[in-house]
Amino acid sequence: MTTDARTVRGDMRGVPGDLTTSTRPPTTIPLRHFLVALAFLAAGGALALTRVVGIEGAGAGLGRIAAAHLLLVGWVCLTVLGAMTQFVPVWSGVELHSDRLATLQLVAVAVGVSGFAGGLWIGRPADAALFAGLILLGFAAFVYNLARTLWRARPLDVTEGHFALALGFLALAAVLGGSLAADYRWGVLAPLGLSRTAVVDAHVTLAVLGVVVTTVFGALYQLGPMFTQTDALPVEDRLARVETAAYPAGVTLLAAGRLLSFATLATAGGLLAAGGAAVAGGILLRRLRDATATATPMLSRYAVVAVATLAWSATAAATWTVDPLGPAVRFGHPAVGPVLLGALVGFVVVGSLYHVVPFIVWLDRYADRVGLERVPAIDDLYHARVAAVDLAATVLGAGLLLAAAVSPAVASVGAVGGSAEGLVRPLGGALVVAGALLFAGNMVATVVRHGGTAIFGGVGSAATTPSEATDADDR
């Protein structure tokens, strides 16, 4: 399937006209972030699946932490770092402060996460702690680089404001995370009178609810209107201001309450955060309902995000009203909170990358040829059938995980010899991992087929034959 200049402009009619692409950094930078992040997704998914089926590393008690860092820091955070590095300059119309710092952040975080997770997996947390310093270095470079960039973009709009808040949450989460890593080696928390469990609770709150979800909500204020091709209702502008105030304040209070073991403060923060999330989910759901754009892998996944956000906010609010403290309720309801929050974050990241990666490749490989020859449309760069299969697998897998979490009877289906553990949970986990691997392969194939060796040099530097330009998958 091919397209001419008019078709390309039609496919991109949801992109605001005031975006300044001349300020973006070299596309090799975000592409490398995304590809390295996809490698961490594969590694983290495989590690998580081994735990589901009962296979543990030498550091059995630390395997969960290793898998969490591969997925949350290696996949999600590196994706966030790459996306913000690319699109903050575009959205804000200012130059990225430093391309070199953007490259440094990728190397430092990637090496740091690999060493940290590996050390935990083999049961050597004291050695793993040494790699945490590299993670801190990478995050420090990112926070400084983006803060300097956003400083020139003032006054900040709703998306930029969320990103600025996420940088603050990242700095705080990194400090607590570094303290936890140092505690493995030097035992620094007890002399300070700090409970390790309380510090972990605060760290996780700031990292997941603060950094990741705040970034997601901020991006959706741009991506929602852009790709549903809908206009904001007057009431939604007011609701967005409420969410912008309530959600970050709620996360801050929730983290502080957990760090200080102050349940009342944590409950107040939890209710504010859950209420803010409900507002963001409701706005997204309305836009999807009224969308005039053609259905895409991104929009179908955003529909899952809207439903998951509303369900998570309701169950989290009910849970944190009763008890906001302790490992079991870090992500809201003990049974369904982790799955719903995982869907909220995971489907946003996957859905967004289904547009962002092909768009970046198309922009540098084909954009300057529009009007001169026939070029593929953005959505022709990836395998549409694979995208449909990975969506079905992840939705079905998440549904099975939710069913197993809610109903012991469902969870025990297929149990052997009186064991309470059945096949539903492992099957659900396997489907989610399979969907994630299909998605990762689809994105890597897009870059290799259409970007060639561009990720290691100048994108679009290689010559493209007419047959390459018209190459598209059977859809």
Side-chain angles (χ1 to χ4, degrees):
M1 179 178 181
T2 59
T3 185
D4 57 19
R6 288 173 297 176
T7 305
V8 171
R9 286 193 291 270
D11 287 345
M12 298 175 66
R13 62 189 180 276
V15 180
D18 58 350
L19 292 184
T20 309
T21 57
S22 62
T23 58
R24 60 184 170 85
T27 52
T28 54
I29 294 175
L31 277 177
R32 287 168 181 166
H33 279 74
F34 298 151
L35 292 174
V36 173
L38 290 175
F40 280 117
L41 170 61
L47 196 59
L49 185 58
T50 61
R51 295 193 67 257
V52 170
V53 299
I55 301 174
E56 296 280 4
L62 301 172
R64 178 180 58 84
I65 302 175
H69 280 78
L70 287 172
L71 292 172
L72 291 174
V73 183
W75 175 43
V76 175
C77 285
L78 272 182
T79 299
V80 167
L81 266 58
M84 288 178 68
T85 298
Q86 173 71 14
F87 290 108
V88 165
V90 174
W91 282 330
S92 303
V94 296
E95 294 285 346
L96 182 69
H97 174 67
S98 171
D99 292 350
R100 290 182 178 179
L101 286 177
T103 299
L104 170 64
Q105 74 197 22
L106 170 61
V107 175
V109 173
V111 175
V113 173
S114 299
F116 186 71
L120 293 180
W121 179 249
I122 64 176
R124 301 179 65 174
D127 294 333
L130 298 176
F131 286 92
L134 285 175
I135 301 176
L136 292 178
L137 174 63
F139 284 156
F142 170 73
V143 169
Y144 176 78
N145 202 15
L146 264 291
R148 289 290 300 269
T149 304
L150 286 170
W151 183 259
R152 298 199 300 271
R154 296 168 299 156
L156 304 181
D157 64 16
V158 63
T159 293
E160 294 161 343
H162 278 73
F163 288 171
L165 289 165
L167 293 180
F169 285 133
L170 179 57
L172 294 173
V175 170
L176 291 181
S179 300
L180 289 166
D183 192 57
Y184 279 135
R185 191 172 185 89
W186 296 290
V188 299
L189 295 180
L192 297 175
L194 295 174
S195 161
R196 183 175 180 86
T197 299
V199 175
V200 171
D201 287 347
H203 168 66
V204 169
T205 301
L206 291 169
V208 178
L209 301 183
V211 179
V212 177
V213 178
T214 301
T215 301
V216 164
F217 289 164
L220 288 175
Y221 282 116
Q222 281 277 356
L223 299 178
M226 187 184 300
F227 296 111
T228 60
Q229 298 174 23
T230 55
D231 296 322
L233 300 176
V235 67
E236 290 176 348
D237 290 333
R238 294 192 290 272
L239 287 173
R241 288 194 290 270
V242 170
E243 181 276 324
T244 301
Y247 184 80
V251 172
T252 302
L253 294 177
L254 180 60
R258 287 174 168 177
L259 181 63
L260 302 173
S261 299
F262 189 0
T264 302
L265 182 63
T267 293
L271 293 178
L272 279 173
V279 170
I283 293 174
L284 177 61
L285 188 63
R286 198 283 303 177
R287 289 192 178 279
L288 291 167
R289 184 198 66 187
D290 297 340
T292 61
T294 303
T296 64
M298 179 175 59
L299 292 184
S300 59
R301 285 160 179 79
Y302 280 10
V304 177
V305 171
V307 173
T309 301
L310 293 172
W312 175 79
S313 65
T315 55
T319 299
W320 290 336
T321 298
V322 177
D323 180 16
L325 305 179
V329 297
R330 283 173 184 160
F331 302 118
H333 189 281
V336 302
V339 180
L340 292 173
L341 194 59
L344 188 167
V345 173
F347 280 98
V348 164
V349 174
V350 171
S352 299
L353 287 180
Y354 259 119
H355 182 85
V356 171
V357 171
F359 175 73
I360 290 175
V361 172
W362 184 93
L363 187 66
D364 283 277
R365 193 68 185 270
Y366 301 116
D368 59 352
R369 304 179 186 186
V370 174
L372 302 176
E373 62 184 77
R374 300 185 67 175
V375 301
I378 294 171
D379 289 337
D380 288 327
L381 302 191
Y382 57 81
H383 293 269
R385 291 173 181 171
V386 174
V389 172
D390 81 53
L391 174 61
T394 48
V395 170
L396 179 58
L400 291 176
L401 291 175
L402 278 174
V406 170
S407 173
V410 172
S412 62
V413 170
V416 179
S419 170
E421 294 298 327
L423 296 176
V424 176
R425 192 185 303 276
L427 178 59
L431 284 170
V432 170
V433 172
L437 293 177
L438 285 172
F439 155 71
N442 209 358
M443 292 296 93
V444 171
T446 297
V447 175
V448 171
R449 290 175 64 241
H450 297 278
T453 59
I455 58 172
F456 303 108
V459 175
S461 59
T464 305
T465 66
S467 61
E468 286 177 315
T470 58
D471 181 26
D473 306 311
D474 292 332
R475 303 178 72 80

